[in-house]
Amino acid sequence: EAEAVAKLEALLSDAVTRRMVADVPLGVFLSGGIDSSSVAALMQANSQTPVRTFSIGFYEQAFNEADAAKAVAHHLGADHTELYVSAGEAQNVVPKLAQIYDEPFADVSQIPTFLVSEMTRKHVTVALSGDGGDELFAGYNRYAQGLQVVRALRRLPGPLPGAVSRLLSMASPQTWDSIVAAVPARLRPRQAGDKLHKLAAVLGAEAGDYYRVLVSPWAEAWTLVQGAVRPESVPFGAAVRGRFKNELAWMQYADMVTYLPDDVLTKVDRASMAVSLEARVPLLDHRVVAFAWRLPLDYKIRSGRSKWVLREVLDRHVPRSLIDRPKRGFGVPLAAWLRGPLRDWAESLLAADRLAAEGHLRPRPVRRAWEDFVSGRRQWQTSLWTVLMFQAWLDGNGGDGA
């Protein structure tokens, strides 16, 4: 274990140092999480002057990571810059998204990513990013949860998962929320009803298809598209799954060849390039990737904690107390926005007659989801964002995507 930690620190240090070579001002995106803090720490360890760190904050505390980033930057002695943006300033980015991404791109963290890029570019020309750490070192909550689901499913008799799935689906999300309300607040999961319905979908999935269901923002999304059939995605197929020694490795692989390049890296690249900022990703140095893939499973997830080996490296530079906190996505209060200031914009894009006239999406399931969401019956904001970004992109291309 000690050898693995030392080897990873040496590899990461060299990968970071190589990406610090620049004849223009240089900085790093810092969220205060494990990945970006590791990059910032190793930059500072290899710099004679304070490293420039940049973070963005939201006044909505549930989505704000600026305090954590500031604490890490202060410990490292970095030259830290932060920008707090209002809901209105963040919403002003929405009309620009179709042009920035030039395709239907629907990860809502694209909004804060653009804002932090825009702010960073006012100070530097190159910024390092911590992207890739979740895929390499099993950082996503769904990896540990996914493994638990797989192990639980394998212990259940044949028909039982389907029966549990049907039982969970019988009560609406609102009913489950009412039931769970009896649980003490500190132990109560957020959006329990929607999560239980997601679990029902996972339990009811065909063998081997649970992970695709788990990561899909819209179950059976092809049913929304006029005349579409279910696509066959090679990374999720049995032939590929069977080549991996364990379920975690396969899940990481599926994300490495789909979610990482098609979402995470696209998001950062387009957002940064829109403001002429160059983003560099040291964690995806090919030597780091190769090393991470050779590590045993328990060097990644240990006692329910993710990124064990990367945490051990970071512990050498930053006190664990500054890092240990529940994992958050880089998000925005999308549900409140869509039910509030963005409601008219969304309603116009999701109008039934408009969807029918365009002929791409089936109006009925889209409208049902929108009405359930607006009424508060379901938290469909992430699913609806995928449709809204398609519609906004279509709208910006004269209605035909040309």
Side-chain angles (χ1 to χ4, degrees):
E1 293 177 356
E3 181 185 0
V5 173
K7 177 67 172 175
L8 178 59
E9 182 173 26
L11 282 172
L12 284 176
S13 182
D14 186 63
V16 167
T17 303
R18 287 171 181 261
R19 284 156 185 83
M20 292 172 65
V21 177
D23 55 5
V24 293
L26 177 87
V28 56
F29 297 138
L30 180 61
S31 70
I34 295 168
D35 303 333
S36 65
S37 296
S38 297
V39 173
L42 292 172
M43 286 179 72
Q44 191 59 70
N46 289 283
S47 176
Q48 300 299 316
T49 58
V51 167
R52 299 294 306 270
T53 56
F54 300 92
S55 65
I56 195 162
F58 290 97
Y59 295 107
E60 295 88 346
Q61 200 55 38
F63 297 89
N64 183 43
E65 293 189 324
D67 291 342
K70 187 176 183 178
V72 171
H74 178 74
H75 173 80
L76 294 174
D79 180 1
H80 188 59
T81 302
E82 64 180 12
L83 173 69
Y84 273 77
V85 296
S86 67
E89 289 172 309
Q91 292 159 22
N92 288 339
V93 177
V94 173
K96 306 174 186 177
L97 294 174
Q99 182 179 9
I100 291 171
Y101 286 89
D102 202 30
E103 64 177 324
F105 186 86
D107 182 338
V108 73
S109 65
Q110 63 200 120
I111 296 172
T113 301
F114 172 79
L115 288 168
V116 75
S117 297
E118 185 178 50
M119 182 262 288
T120 300
R121 181 61 183 88
K122 295 176 181 177
H123 303 273
V124 300
T125 310
V126 175
L128 273 62
S129 164
D131 292 304
D134 284 316
E135 289 80 7
L136 288 178
F137 300 103
Y140 293 124
N141 291 332
R142 63 177 178 263
Y143 289 147
Q145 294 166 354
L147 287 175
Q148 290 171 353
V149 169
V150 170
R151 289 164 181 163
L153 287 174
R154 286 174 179 164
R155 287 195 294 267
L156 293 174
L160 198 53
V164 174
S165 173
R166 289 189 293 274
L167 182 63
L168 292 174
S169 300
M170 285 175 65
S172 69
Q174 305 97 285
T175 301
W176 281 117
D177 285 336
S178 300
I179 295 170
V180 174
V183 176
R186 60 187 177 82
L187 301 175
R188 189 188 312 148
R190 294 174 59 198
Q191 300 176 6
D194 283 299
K195 288 179 178 177
L196 286 170
H197 270 241
K198 186 77 167 181
L199 176 60
V202 171
L203 289 169
E206 297 176 12
D209 206 31
Y210 69 92
Y211 191 61
R212 174 159 37 186
V213 173
L214 188 65
V215 300
S216 296
W218 198 308
E220 300 184 340
W222 59 91
T223 63
L224 298 181
V225 182
Q226 297 280 14
V229 295
R230 174 175 172 161
E232 293 300 322
S233 182
V234 172
F236 295 92
V240 171
R241 289 201 317 274
R243 298 180 64 183
F244 289 87
K245 291 186 297 183
N246 58 67
E247 219 70 34
L248 174 62
W250 166 65
M251 289 188 285
Q252 288 182 272
Y253 168 77
D255 282 337
M256 283 282 289
V257 298
T258 58
Y259 181 62
L260 180 64
D262 296 337
D263 186 319
V264 176
L265 297 181
T266 296
K267 173 185 65 183
V268 175
D269 182 62
R270 305 271 170 91
S272 59
M273 284 290 96
V275 294
S276 300
L277 177 72
E278 179 186 341
R280 299 178 180 176
V281 192
L283 294 184
L284 292 179
D285 182 292
H286 67 282
R287 298 163 301 161
V288 177
V289 174
F291 178 76
W293 273 99
R294 290 197 298 268
L295 291 172
L297 185 151
D298 72 334
Y299 280 40
K300 298 175 182 179
I301 297 179
R302 181 171 296 190
S303 302
R305 288 167 57 83
S306 63
K307 299 182 184 176
W308 177 83
V309 67
L310 187 58
R311 288 176 188 266
E312 292 293 305
V313 171
L314 184 57
D315 281 350
R316 297 180 173 189
H317 301 272
V318 177
R320 187 170 293 189
S321 60
L322 296 182
I323 302 296
D324 268 355
R325 64 187 193 281
K327 184 177 178 63
R328 293 179 181 173
F330 195 26
V332 296
L334 183 61
W337 291 2
L338 289 179
R339 291 192 181 109
L342 295 181
R343 181 167 174 173
D344 289 344
W345 168 79
E347 184 66 64
S348 68
L349 290 174
L350 302 180
D353 55 351
R354 177 177 186 157
L355 293 169
E358 289 167 345
H360 301 293
L361 302 176
R362 295 174 55 227
R364 181 173 295 180
V366 174
R367 291 301 306 177
R368 187 186 307 122
W370 173 245
E371 289 159 9
D372 282 349
F373 168 75
V374 170
S375 70
R377 290 191 295 270
R378 297 296 302 268
Q379 294 297 323
W380 283 129
Q381 63 270 16
T382 303
S383 304
L384 288 164
W385 191 249
T386 64
V387 178
L388 287 166
M389 285 296 95
F390 174 75
Q391 290 295 100
W393 170 80
L394 196 67
D395 194 44
N397 285 281
D400 60 3

